[in-house]
Amino acid sequence: MYNGLNEQQVQERVSQGLTNKSDLHLTRSYEDIIRSNTLTYFNIVNAVLFVIVLTTGHLKNGMFFITIIVNSLIGIYQEIKAKKLLEKMEIMVAAKVPVCRSGQWKEIPVDEIVQDDLIRLESGMQIPADCLLLDGYLEVDESLLTGESEHVSHYADDEVSAGTVCMSGSCSAKVLRVGKECASSKIMEEARKYSKVKSELNENLNRLIRIVSVAIIPTGLILFATQYWLLNLTWQDAALKTVAAVVGMIPEGLVVLTSIALAVSTMRLSRRSVLVQDLFSIESLARVDVLCLDKTGTLTQGSMKVNELKPLLDHTRSYAEGIICSFMAAEEKPNATAKAMTEYFGRSEVFHVDSYLPFSSARKYTAAHILNEGTFYLGAVNFLFPKGCPAANRYLSQYTSEGKRVLILGRSKAPAIAEEGVPDDLDPVAMIMITDVLRDNVQEIMSYFQKQDVSLKVISGDDAATVSSLALQAGIPGAEHYVDMSTASASMAALAENHTVFGRVTPDQKKALIEALQENGHTVAMTGDGVNDVPALKTADVGVAMAAGASAAKDSANLVLLDNDFAHMPDIVDEGRRVINNISRAASMYLVKTVFSILLSLYVILLRQEYPFLPVHLTLITAVGVGIPTFLLQMEPSFERVKGAFFTPAFRNAVPAAVTVFLTALFCLAVRYMFHLPIERYYGIFVALTGYIYLYTLFRVYYPPTKIRIAVIAAMAVLLVLVLTLVPELFSVNFQFQDLAALMVGFAIIPFLNAALARAYDWIRKKTNRRKVVRHGKKNRSSMAAGS
């Protein structure tokens, strides 16, 4: 009999590198964090531009680089802070496995397993390494390796692979291969790699960065050539104006703000005992419009209570209790139901169990062969008696309407447990009624989701009528619309849309229901804690697991509730919406600069004009109009559900404001040439009006006004006026009393101009979308005609 390793043998294997340590980590290393926040493409471009400014001798125009340094430092600080917090929390939910060393059993993290260790595999675990089974029995989900969802039975002397999931049973096993030596290591790495949350925010940002990255270098070279050779500016002036244009096109603040906002959001969630395992899952939370709940641990407290035992036919109560006691004695890894029955009936071998089949969520029953008594099956009524059970049927509707779960104990004369399904000669012995205890605050939580326009779906392996009764008690709208998935015949898409409660659901059906909801255009969150929830958690846009749940469920989820309290879900959804809504608003402000810089660059190149800004002007405008206010308003409550593409509302606000800046530049140039203004007075009028446009846009983006919003915008207006009047030399501006006339005209016209441009933008988008719909309809009709 194999007894495992001693400590000396363990150390030898550690020194040889034969450990199960994984290279995959939840957080990046300190080196990666510093590198990702400093050695970025935009930071390098800004550094080159800063050097160019230094060579011109106009040092004050290099102030934009201070912003780059500050942004990088804040990003590094926030991400390191989040990293430390996440690592502490990760330890709390790290998967552990029982291991025998020096004759003593203890639990260790899976990373500390070494080759030849003796470990214990149990239901709910993800197998941590390639192993040889030494005894017992396991049902394993090998879909990670084979793509097939059917469970495979394994016995002593069988090998099982790392990454597969124990669905039922338990056994001792010897570790054969660890880490990258495991047969499935490459598949596991790929599975982890492609299980990342799809993020529209991340995709849109990367697309914007790629476009700008490609455009800025050739645009900058053309701008410099136009102003130096065609306009005969000095190389210093041409360089400064080119730097202003290129700096204006770079949305570096938006990228940094997004990273900081997500890191801060992660820390805010951690204070509510929520571990975020994927940063961009926060965005998916903001878009969730359907929440799928597993009854146990969400609607209910996760604790169960046996209410009653009802003998059937001519069987006695004492006989049924003795059989159930024997069942419980054979169960090595009791689930919540088994624990409730153990508490009620006890756990003793009244009858001798010589073979035992553990419970599986796929088959919905457990079985045992009892010496001299026959083979007994304990589970759901309609799974053990698919053709009906007259002795039990007359009681079922009464108990299920009361929200009670009903299990039935059946007896067969067969000499062994059936390999597939249940035998035909099964006779009912007794019914066991069990109740789930609802959470104290469950009605408040369900009411919150109803108000937030989030549909609720309850997906459970229990009887549909029982779950429906509990869901009605919890206050879930439409809970009376339930379906028994073991007998359902309609399409999955129709079932998913037309029902609220789904009973007798298998793990594969849970996954299929979520896929159907996604195909119908919904963003779906799924909560669960059992191994039967793993396929659904992986499929959902956001998977939420309980820390007390199966290790495979925690590994599959994007978020883990460390205190197992479902009451945190409203806070989690609110946090997702808050951070994404505020990033979207901030994006509007950052994109104004990018869009008008592109427009002004085209104007300069095509009409051979001077660029109307200096770098120092953009530094002031973006600090007062974007950087400071968006940072201060980033933590504001904002709980509207996020809909549509991320940049759609951002460009809706940014484009009219950017065109307003562009037209204001033309107006200021006209005033300059008409009245022969010195360049500093022209700069003063243009910078003041551009700052006004930014503050007006800030008001529109953060509408409706609140006390904090009004205070921030007012403070920025005061700051802009103070800077322009107290230190005009620093920003190369100057004002005369007569300049007030041009400023007053601009202040009066800009709101109306901006509003007109916004309406024009909406009209163009509406026309464009209508044409797309018409083209799409024609294409569909053509396809149908060709098919017929």
Side-chain angles (χ1 to χ4, degrees), residues 288-292 514 517-518 522-526 540-543:
V288 164
D289 63 338
V290 176
L291 175 60
C292 296
I514 287 174
L517 288 166
Q518 290 170 330
H522 297 290
T523 301
V524 185
M526 167 74 192
D541 297 286
V542 184

Side-chain angles (χ1 to χ4, degrees), residues 686-740:
F686 187 30
V687 170
L689 289 177
T690 304
Y692 174 71
I693 294 168
Y694 263 86
L695 294 175
Y696 176 74
T697 306
L698 201 64
F699 175 78
R700 286 175 58 88
V701 167
Y702 285 90
Y703 193 86
T706 60
K707 288 182 179 179
I708 186 170
R709 291 175 178 179
I710 293 171
V712 168
I713 294 170
M716 294 303 102
V718 171
L719 179 59
L720 179 63
V721 171
L722 289 176
V723 168
L724 292 178
T725 55
L726 296 181
V727 284
E729 300 85 3
L730 180 62
F731 294 95
S732 300
V733 298
N734 191 14
F735 295 95
Q736 296 295 326
F737 179 76
Q738 54 267 41
D739 297 339
L740 282 174

Side-chain angles (χ1 to χ4, degrees), residues 11-29:
Q11 290 305 317
E12 288 174 358
R13 284 160 178 76
V14 171
S15 63
Q16 295 168 9
L18 300 176
T19 67
N20 207 42
K21 197 166 184 64
S22 171
D23 293 331
L24 296 170
H25 298 285
L26 185 59
T27 61
R28 296 186 291 186
S29 67

Side-chain angles (χ1 to χ4, degrees), residues 633-704:
L633 295 171
Q634 191 57 41
M635 295 301 118
E636 254 205 325
S638 181
F639 304 138
E640 307 86 14
R641 181 163 67 86
V642 177
K643 301 178 182 178
F646 174 75
F647 275 134
T648 299
F651 277 114
R652 164 64 179 78
N653 292 308
V655 171
V659 175
T660 303
V661 172
F662 174 71
L663 295 176
T664 301
L666 300 184
F667 166 75
C668 292
L669 286 169
V671 170
R672 177 193 175 189
Y673 294 128
M674 188 180 300
F675 297 101
H676 308 288
L677 296 182
I679 189 69
E680 289 81 7
R681 287 176 63 188
Y682 156 73
Y683 283 150
I685 295 170
F686 187 30
V687 170
L689 289 177
T690 304
Y692 174 71
I693 294 168
Y694 263 86
L695 294 175
Y696 176 74
T697 306
L698 201 64
F699 175 78
R700 286 175 58 88
V701 167
Y702 285 90
Y703 193 86

Side-chain angles (χ1 to χ4, degrees), residues 294-306:
D294 183 31
K295 172 181 66 67
T296 306
T298 52
L299 297 182
T300 65
Q301 296 177 5
S303 58
M304 299 183 187
K305 182 180 179 181
V306 174

